[in-house]
Amino acid sequence: MGLVGFSFPLLCALLLLAIDLTLWQWIANKWFRWKVLIRLGLYFLFSLALMNAGLSPLSPIPAAIPSSYHALVIILAIAWWLLGARTLTVLMILILAPRIGGKGHLLQDVLGAFIFLMAALAASTYVLDLPLKGLLATSGAVAIILGLAVQSTLSDVFSGIVLNATKPFRVDDWIRVDDIDGKVIEIDWRSTHLLTPEGSMAVIPNAMAAKTRIVNFSRPDHFHSVTLSVELPVRLRPSLALDALEKALQGCRELLLQPQSGALVKKAYVRYVEYEVTGYVKSRDRLDAVRNQLYDLIYRQLSVMESLDRGNPVRPQTRQSAVLNTVSALRMLSDDDRAELGEKMRLTLFSAGEVILEQGVVPEELLIIESGVVSVTTGSQDNELEVGRMGPGEVMGETGIVDHSACVARFSAMTDCVVYRISYDSLEPWLEEHGELREVMVRLAHFRAQKRDSVVQQQPPAPRKKGFMHWLRQMQRNPRE
């Protein structure tokens, strides 16, 4: 083969190698699949260029090649092996990434290192014509020396491989390792990186993580527990306390129905009794918000129990005054006004499941919840959507005060409820005297309307039934399908 015919394929091979390296850096990672396809195409053309030049990376350099080109030929032949190893590695990443997660690089790095090691041995054997047995013996001796020097590091590496294979936790899981809680950010060659609730980074060696007890708070991922400890005085009867705690749990709409929430007596002491309240939420991100909401609901349910107020010097004189004190919308009234208004309140009992205020009905009374849990739903009875739950100290029927409009939701008792009624005729003098009271009712009605609309908009549309007529219409629109 002539010098000109020999030089042209080598120049093409160098150009293809430069194009491959440039495009790999230039194309964004969001086009990763296209990058892999382009690399495969360029690697195929690179191989053709070497064969046209009379080279084979599977055999030593032919003697017919001039000595001035030996260095270039050796570089291109070694580059063929290394580029092949890199191409095989990116193909492996493309196949394994959906299974092991885009952030779990340890297994990919180990396999990639093994592939490059095999490619380096093959290039040394076929291109440089070095004896394989000598290379293996030398590499074995070097491996023993390095193994003794980095014994602890190798322990972390192999422990990391075991952790990636068994998967006791994954990236983005919340775990506890050796009394350290945190979110898994990355699992590398040596260690596992945790982001603690305080915002600091905890680095756990993989060998320690493999030997110690691991608690994974994200598995199973369909529910997470919320546990509260409540201490109540011994004078409070446990049955009444447990009833209030159960109502508080039912008042939290974010708690799952299954597993079932519950409350129990944990320990009894001389002065107080310790109760444990447990519920379950779907998302771990909502744990703190639900915990705070449960404390508020527990306080509201317990505050209506008259026995808790014994010995309180500022305790209201009547039960009606105690209820009015829990309503934030009526706090601008004086004690005398509340006492006078309490005389016009009528007590009503509702059993669980009974409708307190029907949707579409114009309310003529303001209703105040003393105890129990009320469910707020909208829509027809066949397709009801719960938009909220209410507890002690909350009011219903404010739309009648604002603009004499009908209720846009249905209010039903989830538990046995005690509700006080105040007719609008009895409430009118206080509304005229206190303009801010009507303003509060307007804001309350506006807030509830916005909340209802937001919940309805977030509700996914019901799937349409696909029957024979639907199939027939689809065939008419797309006859080729």
Side-chain angles (χ1 to χ4, degrees):
M1 184 178 294
L3 184 61
V4 176
F6 176 77
S7 301
F8 180 75
L10 293 181
L11 291 177
C12 287
L14 282 174
L15 182 61
L16 289 171
L17 187 61
I19 292 174
D20 177 87
L21 296 177
T22 303
L23 290 180
W24 188 262
Q25 298 295 328
W26 180 68
I27 301 177
N29 285 330
K30 64 179 181 179
W31 307 103
F32 184 73
R33 295 179 182 271
W34 287 104
K35 290 173 68 174
V36 174
L37 291 176
I38 292 173
R39 168 154 285 183
L40 285 173
L42 292 175
Y43 183 68
F44 177 74
L45 296 176
F46 183 72
S47 302
L48 288 180
L50 292 183
M51 287 189 290
N52 287 336
L55 298 176
S56 174
L58 300 177
S59 60
I61 300 174
I65 296 178
S67 57
S68 58
Y69 290 98
H70 272 210
L72 178 60
V73 170
I74 291 174
I75 292 174
L76 291 176
I78 295 177
W80 184 87
W81 282 102
L82 297 180
L83 186 60
R86 180 57 182 167
T87 304
L88 184 60
T89 302
V90 295
L91 278 175
M92 175 198 67
I93 294 175
L94 186 63
I95 296 172
L96 294 181
R99 300 183 180 181
I100 63 178
K103 298 181 181 179
H105 297 302
L106 180 56
L107 186 59
Q108 299 175 11
D109 292 343
V110 171
L111 293 177
F114 178 77
I115 293 173
F116 270 95
L117 178 61
M118 294 297 101
L121 289 176
S124 302
T125 303
Y126 291 109
V127 179
L128 301 179
D129 198 19
L130 297 177
L132 181 61
K133 292 183 179 180
L135 286 175
L136 293 177
T138 304
S139 62
V142 172
I144 293 174
I145 296 173
L146 291 178
L148 294 175
V150 294
Q151 184 175 2
S152 61
T153 303
L154 290 177
S155 176
D156 291 330
V157 171
F158 285 105
S159 296
I161 295 175
V162 172
L163 292 174
N164 273 265
T166 57
K167 295 187 182 301
F169 54 83
R170 301 178 182 178
V171 174
D172 293 334
D173 283 356
W174 280 90
I175 65 173
R176 175 180 295 163
V177 181
D178 195 26
D179 296 331
I180 299 177
D181 294 355
K183 181 180 180 181
V184 181
I185 300 300
E186 186 179 358
I187 308 172
D188 59 20
W189 287 82
R190 283 199 68 252
S191 56
T192 298
H193 299 255
L194 303 182
L195 180 64
T196 65
E198 294 79 15
S200 57
M201 182 69 70
V203 181
I204 310 295
N206 288 332
M208 178 184 297
K211 293 177 183 178
T212 190
R213 182 181 63 182
I214 300 174
V215 179
N216 193 333
F217 300 107
S218 300
R219 297 288 183 272
D221 56 357
H222 55 277
F223 65 86
H224 305 274
S225 65
V226 182
T227 303
L228 307 179
S229 180
V230 181
E231 297 176 356
L232 301 177
V234 293
R235 68 172 180 270
L236 182 62
R237 187 176 175 181
S239 61
L240 297 178
L242 290 173
D243 180 67
L245 295 177
E246 291 286 351
K247 289 179 179 178
L249 288 170
Q250 294 185 51
C252 184
R253 196 167 64 94
E254 293 195 48
L255 294 181
L256 300 175
L257 297 178
Q258 293 294 333
Q260 189 174 4
S261 305
L264 54 86
V265 179
K266 190 174 182 181
K267 288 183 181 180
Y269 299 92
V270 177
R271 296 184 177 180
Y272 64 91
V273 178
E274 183 179 357
Y275 298 85
E276 187 175 81
V277 180
T278 304
Y280 300 89
V281 295
K282 187 174 182 179
S283 173
R284 182 178 175 84
D285 297 335
R286 298 295 300 164
L287 285 177
D288 292 337
V290 171
R291 185 179 289 110
N292 293 335
Q293 185 180 359
L294 279 176
Y295 274 121
D296 180 72
L297 290 171
I298 290 172
Y299 174 81
R300 287 161 58 187
Q301 292 290 346
L302 292 174
S303 64
V304 302
M305 302 176 69
E306 189 176 4
S307 58
L308 289 178
D309 290 333
R310 291 178 181 175
N312 188 350
V314 295
R315 176 187 172 194
Q317 296 181 355
T318 64
R319 181 176 177 179
Q320 290 84 348
S321 298
V323 174
L324 292 174
N325 282 338
T326 63
V327 182
S328 57
L330 303 178
R331 286 178 182 171
M332 72 282 297
L333 300 178
S334 64
D335 294 339
D336 295 335
D337 288 338
R338 279 196 291 266
E340 186 177 351
L341 186 60
E343 297 177 358
K344 304 180 183 299
M345 297 169 59
R346 294 184 293 110
L347 185 145
T348 308
L349 304 178
F350 292 93
S351 301
E354 191 174 353
V355 177
I356 301 175
L357 195 57
E358 185 59 69
Q359 182 178 356
V361 175
V362 179
E364 298 179 354
E365 299 172 312
L366 186 68
L367 295 90
I368 304 175
I369 304 173
E370 182 193 41
S371 65
V373 180
V374 175
S375 175
V376 185
T377 58
T378 186
S380 62
Q381 293 183 353
D382 297 333
N383 187 24
E384 279 191 338
L385 173 64
E386 187 178 46
V387 296
R389 294 181 186 176
M390 303 171 64
E394 297 192 73
V395 299
M396 300 171 285
E398 72 283 350
T399 56
I401 296 178
V402 175
D403 53 6
H404 300 285
S405 60
C407 292
V408 295
R410 180 182 299 106
F411 299 83
S412 307
M414 286 191 66
T415 64
D416 293 341
C417 295
V418 178
V419 177
Y420 278 96
R421 299 171 176 268
I422 309 176
S423 66
Y424 288 155
D425 294 337
S426 302
L427 196 59
E428 190 62 32
W430 282 271
L431 293 173
E432 293 179 357
E433 183 178 353
H434 300 278
E436 64 273 16
L437 180 58
R438 190 183 297 273
E439 245 179 64
V440 170
M441 294 297 172
V442 171
R443 288 198 299 267
L444 179 61
H446 182 65
F447 169 78
R448 288 181 173 175
Q450 283 186 329
K451 184 177 180 181
R452 171 188 173 276
D453 293 340
S454 64
V455 174
V456 171
Q457 291 174 3
Q458 292 174 3
Q459 183 72 6
R464 298 179 60 184
K465 295 183 179 180
K466 298 181 180 180
F468 174 75
M469 296 303 297
H470 175 80
W471 174 80
L472 186 60
R473 285 192 294 269
Q474 288 295 111
M475 289 297 294
Q476 292 175 350
R477 296 174 183 173
N478 304 309
R480 294 183 179 182
E481 294 184 358

